Amino acid sequence: EQRTEPSKGELTRQTILDAAIVRFGRDGFRATSVADIARDASVSGTAAYAHFPNKEALFDAALDEDAAAVIHEGVSHVIEEGHSSEEWRETLILTLVAAVERHPLARRVLSGLEPHVTDRVVELPAMQDLRKSVADRLRRDQEQGLVRDDIDPAAIADGAVGIIVSLLMAVLQLGSAGVAVYGPGIWALFG
């Protein structure tokens, strides 16, 4: 398999996104300008606008990038085949809580500090990928006889991810004391 190096434009776009995640995560949407982000990324404002038509588009792309990183970091090792059916379901919320702590923009949004985008969190491409990964793992577990065969994996994945996101938001806003107690019980609702 041949790997191609990213183009200069792709590298510039990624540099802008990385700067946007940090700046929006630290200062928030309202207090941040595209000029601030361009300066942090060591690019011109024109370069930033060449990749993102406006501040809202840059914020949305940065949020999805940071959310995707949380999901990849928190889920990739849990949903893989090597973990037992019970193990991945019981630890999914715990790994996501740990991962979100290292991602400033995702943490800010899930903490309720950007209310203008809270309702869009479930529609992020990264969240769609998470629902698909959970549904795929549930299907594999069904094929192995580890999960009831009379449930719809896609519907269960949608419900479980919705509850997990709600629990993540609660943990970030109220503290993590209940996650170890209530997190594993999420799956009992669907099992």
Side-chain angles (χ1 to χ4, degrees):
E1 157 182 348
Q2 185 180 20
R3 280 186 72 146
T4 59
E5 293 295 317
S7 70
K8 184 178 179 186
E10 290 168 335
L11 290 173
T12 300
R13 183 181 191 280
Q14 189 60 52
T15 300
I16 295 166
L17 273 177
D18 292 344
I21 290 167
V22 171
R23 180 64 80 133
F24 282 135
R26 184 183 66 221
D27 300 339
F29 179 80
R30 285 192 172 83
T32 300
S33 70
V34 173
D36 294 332
I37 293 167
R39 197 171 26 263
D40 292 352
S42 300
V43 301
S44 70
T46 306
Y49 283 110
H51 293 279
F52 303 96
N54 54 44
K55 185 167 106 170
E56 291 80 9
L58 178 53
F59 184 89
D60 288 347
L63 176 57
D64 190 51
E65 181 87 4
D66 208 34
V70 167
I71 290 166
H72 177 74
E73 185 179 319
V75 173
S76 62
H77 69 284
V78 173
I79 294 187
E80 293 170 358
E81 288 290 335
H83 288 73
S84 72
S85 177
E86 195 169 293
E87 181 183 30
W88 77 263
R89 289 182 283 148
E90 287 184 358
T91 59
L92 180 59
I93 184 66
L94 301 173
T95 59
L96 285 170
V97 167
V100 81
E101 287 299 327
R102 293 182 288 278
H103 294 276
L105 184 53
R107 185 177 61 245
R108 181 178 184 83
V109 169
L110 291 173
S111 295
L113 299 175
E114 297 293 339
H116 70 285
V117 296
T118 302
D119 61 335
R120 294 195 318 240
V121 167
V122 295
E123 297 169 8
L124 290 171
M127 294 303 293
Q128 294 169 7
D129 291 345
L130 176 58
R131 288 191 297 272
K132 183 183 180 316
S133 294
V134 169
D136 290 347
R137 179 61 198 254
L138 286 169
R139 277 187 203 89
R140 288 194 306 270
D141 287 353
Q142 276 181 325
E143 291 167 3
Q144 296 175 9
L146 302 171
V147 171
R148 292 177 16 197
D149 62 0
D150 64 339
I151 63 166
D152 177 359
I156 298 302
D158 286 349
V161 169
I163 291 171
I164 287 168
V165 169
S166 297
L167 185 56
L168 271 173
M169 293 172 93
V171 164
L172 290 169
Q173 293 175 32
L174 303 174
S176 62
V179 74
V181 174
Y182 299 113
I186 291 170
W187 294 98
L189 296 171
F190 302 107

